[in-house]
Amino acid sequence: MTQIKTVGILGAGKVGIVLAQLALAAGYHVRISGSGSVQKIALTIETLVPGAVPSTNQGVVSKSDLIILAIPLSRYKNIHPKLLKGKLVIDAMNFWWETDGIREEVLDPSTTSSEQVQQYFNKSTIVKTFNHMGYHNLQEEAKPAGAKNRKALFVTGDNHDAVDQVAEFVSTTGFDTVVHYRLADGIMTEPGSELFGASLRQAELKNVIDHFDETEFGRQIKADQKTG
């Protein structure tokens, strides 16, 4: 796969800004777009992420090796699937009722959010990560590899090589990883799960994931799958 040198971030909100900061600190070139014009976000980017390049969605995608979706989940269909064709894409999104509205209007209840994102961007490779830890924790708790009490992020997707590449990227930005190779397992980190909002070390994160089916959220998911 293509070596990651330039990271493109679609979304200049709190999560997008923090991820841009982490990527810059790790030595990547960063391009970022927001919901408005380039001029509208340029001052924000210059102030909060000096060194990142504000651009249009097209400008971000065409010149980046890795794309991060850091927009409200309800807006992902505002991006034409052809724009991300052939791209490695991190889905850092979650459904959140305060910004996304009624869940049934955003998501098909029969599958996970990332599976639906992958289905929509069917010519792209989707890997889910950066979605279960709060942006403050992402910003404040990034540490170099081997550091004491380094926190961990869950990384999952259907493409083995893509997941491994994204896991390596996550490590360079300051976090250990727990890796799965099934995009549907992203449900373990969505709002309502034990992991959502949690900031855990690798062993702690792995323990929660290994016992997911025993949690209240996990039991509900299994029950829904049986009746769905």
Side-chain angles (χ1 to χ4, degrees):
M1 301 186 77
T2 303
Q3 182 181 0
I4 298 171
K5 295 181 178 179
T6 301
V7 177
I9 300 174
L10 302 183
K14 293 172 181 176
V15 174
I17 292 295
V18 169
L19 294 180
Q21 292 170 341
L22 293 176
L24 275 176
Y28 298 97
H29 300 293
V30 175
R31 302 180 70 87
I32 186 168
S33 64
S35 57
S37 65
V38 176
Q39 292 75 17
K40 182 179 178 181
I41 68 165
L43 181 59
T44 299
I45 300 307
E46 182 181 345
T47 303
L48 298 178
V49 202
V53 178
S55 184
T56 61
N57 285 353
Q58 178 65 53
V60 167
V61 173
S62 65
K63 298 182 179 180
S64 299
D65 308 305
L66 170 69
I67 306 300
I68 302 177
L69 292 174
I71 58 178
L73 183 63
S74 57
R75 299 180 191 170
Y76 77 88
K77 288 186 178 179
N78 292 352
I79 301 169
H80 199 287
K82 287 185 178 179
L83 181 64
L84 301 185
K85 182 180 179 180
K87 290 292 185 177
L88 174 58
V89 180
I90 289 177
D91 174 11
M93 303 180 293
N94 284 304
F95 170 80
W96 192 243
W97 64 271
E98 289 183 350
T99 54
D100 294 322
I102 300 172
R103 184 181 178 91
E104 288 74 15
E105 293 179 357
V106 178
L107 294 172
D108 178 343
S110 66
T111 61
T112 67
S113 64
S114 286
E115 288 177 286
Q116 292 173 58
V117 171
Q118 176 66 87
Q119 184 178 18
Y120 180 73
F121 296 110
N122 61 359
K123 301 298 183 182
S124 309
T125 302
I126 302 293
V127 177
K128 192 173 188 70
T129 191
F130 288 124
N131 69 300
H132 65 83
M133 191 182 292
Y135 69 91
H136 281 304
N137 295 116
L138 288 170
Q139 186 176 47
E140 297 167 3
E141 299 189 33
K143 295 180 180 180
K148 185 178 180 180
N149 295 324
R150 196 183 197 218
K151 299 303 174 63
L153 290 166
F154 187 51
V155 183
T156 193
D158 291 332
N159 184 300
H160 195 292
D161 290 340
V163 171
D164 288 349
Q165 188 172 28
V166 168
E168 176 59 29
F169 169 73
V170 170
S171 180
T172 65
T173 64
F175 300 91
D176 288 335
T177 60
V178 174
V179 171
H180 277 207
Y181 298 105
R182 183 171 177 266
L183 190 59
D185 287 351
I187 192 68
M188 298 181 184
T189 62
E190 291 186 8
S193 73
E194 303 292 322
L195 287 179
F196 184 70
S199 179
L200 304 173
R201 290 173 294 182
Q202 188 179 50
E204 297 168 330
L205 178 61
K206 188 176 186 302
N207 183 63
V208 174
I209 289 171
D210 286 347
H211 295 89
F212 174 76
D213 288 345
E214 300 170 17
T215 66
E216 181 179 351
F217 186 71
R219 289 194 294 269
Q220 183 60 54
I221 294 299
K222 292 184 74 172
D224 290 345
Q225 290 172 340
K226 288 180 180 178
T227 59

